[in-house]
Amino acid sequence: MDMLTLLRQRGHRITRPRLAVLQALAEGPAHISAAEVLSEGRRTHPGLSKASVYRTLQLLETLGALRGIPSPEGRSFVRVAPGHHHLLCQGCGEVRDFSGCGLCDSWREVADEERFFVAGHLLEVFGLCSGCRSKREGETS
Amino acid sequence: MDMLTLLRQRGHRITRPRLAVLQALAEGPAHISAAEVLSEGRRTHPGLSKASVYRTLQLLETLGALRGIPSPEGRSFVRVAPGHHHLLCQGCGEVRDFSGCGLCDSWREVADEERFFVAGHLLEVFGLCSGCRSKREGETS
DNA sequence: TCGCTTGTTGATACTCGGTCTCAATAATAT
DNA sequence: ATATTATTGAGACCGAGTATCAACAAGCGA
């Protein structure tokens, strides 16, 4: 669902700071940090404050529209989308997306057993990207 | 592989602080924070410093034996084990494990396409646990 | 359209997880 | 035993994220 509609539907006010954050999320990179949202958002609303950015990101995460993932500089946020997953390089920190995991069913029954309401899921595959891989050629593993 | 053996094999020295961290990881809860490792580790090595704990955890993560996952109070660390995944509650922050995901193959070909060396993977399923679920009964979604 | 109510904002002080520095120490090789 | 050098511990430091609170404005009803 549209994040703007989601906010309205849940009874949250549509304000300039929130619109600026939504626009930053829409126009910015797929993985975006709070700091990037702040600087990007100030292009549409110069007075945008750090606190509002964090509050809005937190709100969107609570509503299930965003998901924070760990990154070297704090957290970065991604739009929650079905079958959207990551390859995390432990060498350089690069995050690469991939989609179409084809496995979005087998864990569902586990969640059902636990009486757990599933808002979304995220598969992290971590290791070394091709670049870092060749750099470490020769090391014992 | 045994974490102690792993350290030795990669040419890292076996020191008292590192042994204390390994023991804390072995005896502590499955999901453990750096602060918990510190206090737990000081039981076997009272002089253990915060810096050493963070350094050792970082080293073990680099070596692929540990994986940090986001949590309200910083990060918590889990032993990397095949088919070990999480249900993260966005209401209370509870982390519940589940295993036997049965899907540890379909993403592998994606990784291969990207020439990505896979050290491990972690599936996060997030939403609401049964407790938080009933608390929010009646809210629009 | 005009207020009124109250959710939201912005500035800033603050918290605290995590890192950096560097002299002192101790694990390994010889 | 000695030399080499990775590692440690103490504490200063950094910076992401939060708390506070008076001022503001979104939305609603009249």
Side-chain angles (χ1 to χ4, degrees):
Chain A
M1 188 198 307
D2 183 2
M3 288 198 264
L4 185 56
T5 309
L6 183 62
L7 284 175
R8 235 191 291 265
Q9 195 169 339
R10 295 294 191 89
H12 298 283
R13 294 183 181 170
I14 307 306
T15 63
R16 292 196 64 202
R18 284 180 178 162
L19 285 172
V21 168
L22 292 190
Q23 187 169 347
L25 288 172
E27 296 179 354
H31 300 87
I32 191 166
S33 67
E36 287 169 324
V37 171
L38 178 59
S39 62
E40 185 71 15
R42 278 185 171 157
R43 288 177 36 192
T44 43
H45 177 41
L48 185 60
S49 77
K50 188 173 67 156
S52 288
V53 168
Y54 280 102
R55 281 186 292 234
T56 303
L57 291 174
Q58 194 172 43
L59 176 59
L60 290 170
E61 189 174 18
T62 302
L63 295 179
L66 281 186
R67 176 67 184 158
I69 61 173
S71 79
E73 62 295 332
R75 298 202 299 160
S76 67
F77 293 82
V78 296
R79 290 222 45 173
V80 167
H84 178 178
H85 306 298
H86 305 97
L87 296 177
L88 305 178
C89 180
Q90 295 177 316
C92 59
E94 183 197 7
V95 181
R96 197 175 307 178
D97 298 349
F98 71 92
S99 56
C101 65
L103 34 88
C104 309
D105 293 314
S106 48
W107 49 263
R108 201 175 282 279
E109 66 190 44
V110 179
D112 285 350
E113 278 170 23
E114 306 273 0
R115 306 193 342 98
F116 195 98
F117 168 74
V118 176
H121 73 287
L122 189 62
L123 175 61
E124 285 185 275
V125 178
F126 46 94
L128 291 175
C129 69
S130 53
C132 294
R133 195 175 179 176
S134 41
K135 271 185 211 149
R136 301 202 181 177
E137 216 78 323
E139 286 189 23
T140 319
S141 50
Chain B
M1 187 198 307
D2 184 1
M3 288 198 264
L4 184 57
T5 309
L6 183 62
L7 283 175
R8 234 192 292 266
Q9 197 169 337
R10 295 294 190 90
H12 298 284
R13 294 183 182 174
I14 307 306
T15 64
R16 293 196 64 203
R18 284 179 179 165
L19 286 172
V21 168
L22 292 189
Q23 187 168 349
L25 288 172
E27 297 179 354
H31 300 87
I32 191 167
S33 67
E36 287 170 324
V37 170
L38 178 58
S39 61
E40 185 71 14
R42 277 184 171 159
R43 288 176 40 191
T44 44
H45 177 40
L48 184 60
S49 75
K50 189 172 65 156
S52 289
V53 168
Y54 280 101
R55 281 186 292 233
T56 304
L57 290 174
Q58 195 173 41
L59 176 60
L60 290 170
E61 190 174 17
T62 302
L63 296 179
L66 281 186
R67 176 67 185 158
I69 62 173
S71 79
E73 62 296 332
R75 298 202 300 160
S76 66
F77 292 82
V78 296
R79 289 220 45 171
V80 168
H84 178 177
H85 307 298
H86 305 97
L87 296 177
L88 306 178
C89 180
Q90 295 177 316
C92 59
E94 184 197 6
V95 181
R96 196 176 307 179
D97 297 350
F98 71 92
S99 55
C101 65
L103 35 88
C104 310
D105 293 314
S106 49
W107 49 262
R108 200 174 284 280
E109 65 190 45
V110 178
D112 286 349
E113 278 170 22
E114 305 274 0
R115 308 195 340 100
F116 195 97
F117 168 75
V118 177
H121 72 288
L122 189 62
L123 175 63
E124 286 185 273
V125 178
F126 46 96
L128 293 174
C129 70
S130 53
C132 294
R133 195 174 178 176
S134 40
K135 272 185 213 150
R136 301 202 180 178
E137 216 77 324
E139 287 189 22
T140 318
S141 50

